[in-house]
Amino acid sequence: MGMDVSHGSPGRADVPSVAAVLLYSYFACPLFSVCLLFMSQPMLELFVEFFKTSNARKPKQIIIFRDGVSESQFNQVLNIVVDQIIKAYQRLGETDVPKFTVIVAQKRHHTKLFQAKGHENVPAGTVVDTKIGTSRPAHYHVLLDEIGFSPDELQNLIHSLSYVNQRSTTATSIVRYAHLAAAQFAQFTKFEDVSEEKVPELPRLQERVESNMFFC
């Protein structure tokens, strides 16, 4: 599951943030939902679609990749986001809660890497345990791991997921689809009439495109 938020441009505090959530499985293409505030309803819709497109299966393990979160917001991700997902799952009539692994992906940080014998970027997929230096990598924080990955297993999973972008033959951010979906929907909505009393609903997609990753 990938999550990201598109915020208004600088100086536009009146523009609501748009959140996008994508749910992946081995049996279905990525399913996505967008909302102005993260609530359990979008997650419920995704779980229903997951069930329909995954041979009537329900997820027993959920891996969450969240982008755009500072360290001061880590507790909010665990206490609010995971709670909303659990509530959505329970609305399906389920009593057994899935196991969660929650990972925050950060691109804006001060960690840099370089190769010892030159100034070229390190190859995609490089895992560094010691000797930090110059080409900026993605930084992953594991906030929760109920599934029980070993470090090598999690590193291999993240590396593999970085190559599933349909419009790129190189490694990209694993929350790229969520980023694109949130940005696209932010462009589809006019926020001129937004007020504290009235928050506009995001447009609904036509049936012929609602199951396609048009935002890629």
Side-chain angles (χ1 to χ4, degrees):
M1 185 179 295
M3 301 180 182
D4 200 3
V5 179
S6 176
H7 302 288
S9 57
R12 292 297 308 275
D14 56 318
V15 176
S17 297
V18 177
V21 184
L22 283 92
L23 185 62
Y24 301 80
S25 79
Y26 288 108
F27 310 100
C29 290
L31 309 169
F32 73 98
S33 180
V34 291
C35 56
L36 292 178
L37 295 174
F38 190 87
M39 298 177 290
S40 61
Q41 182 60 33
M43 287 306 312
L44 176 62
E45 295 175 1
L46 284 177
F47 282 139
V48 171
E49 289 299 316
F50 181 95
F51 182 81
K52 292 178 180 178
T53 57
S54 300
N55 298 326
R57 290 177 170 87
K58 296 178 182 178
K60 298 302 180 184
Q61 298 177 336
I62 297 177
I63 306 171
I64 299 172
F65 289 96
R66 178 68 167 88
D67 194 11
V69 175
S70 64
E71 292 186 16
S72 62
Q73 297 172 309
F74 285 178
N75 285 334
Q76 294 180 25
V77 173
L78 286 176
N79 298 332
I80 299 176
V81 175
V82 174
D83 180 65
Q84 291 290 318
I85 295 174
I86 292 175
K87 287 181 178 178
Y89 193 79
Q90 291 174 333
R91 288 175 64 184
L92 298 174
E94 294 295 316
T95 56
D96 294 332
V97 176
K99 293 182 178 179
F100 287 88
T101 291
V102 182
I103 302 168
V104 170
Q106 290 183 331
K107 295 183 289 292
R108 297 180 181 179
H109 55 79
H110 302 291
T111 302
K112 297 182 178 181
L113 308 176
F114 66 93
Q115 296 196 57
K117 297 182 180 180
H119 299 288
E120 297 84 4
N121 290 340
V122 297
T126 299
V127 175
V128 178
D129 295 318
T130 60
K131 298 182 180 179
I132 301 299
T134 76
S135 156
R136 182 169 297 179
H139 192 178
Y140 298 97
H141 297 265
V142 180
L143 306 187
L144 177 68
D145 184 21
E146 295 176 340
I147 297 175
F149 287 102
S150 70
D152 286 344
E153 289 171 340
L154 200 54
Q155 290 162 3
N156 286 330
L157 173 64
I158 292 172
H159 183 214
S160 298
L161 289 175
S162 69
Y163 285 94
V164 298
N165 192 319
Q166 290 192 359
R167 66 178 187 181
S168 176
T169 58
T170 59
T172 61
S173 168
I174 57 176
V175 288
R176 184 64 177 168
Y177 284 152
H179 173 84
L180 292 172
Q184 287 278 350
F185 268 83
Q187 296 177 17
F188 294 161
T189 305
K190 295 182 179 179
F191 296 116
E192 287 80 1
D193 299 326
V194 174
S195 65
E196 294 182 359
E197 295 77 22
K198 183 180 179 181
V199 177
E201 293 185 4
L202 290 173
R204 303 295 296 183
L205 293 176
Q206 295 184 4
E207 291 184 1
R208 62 187 179 88
V209 297
E210 66 180 2
S211 297
N212 297 323
M213 297 197 301
F214 69 94
F215 49 83
C216 288

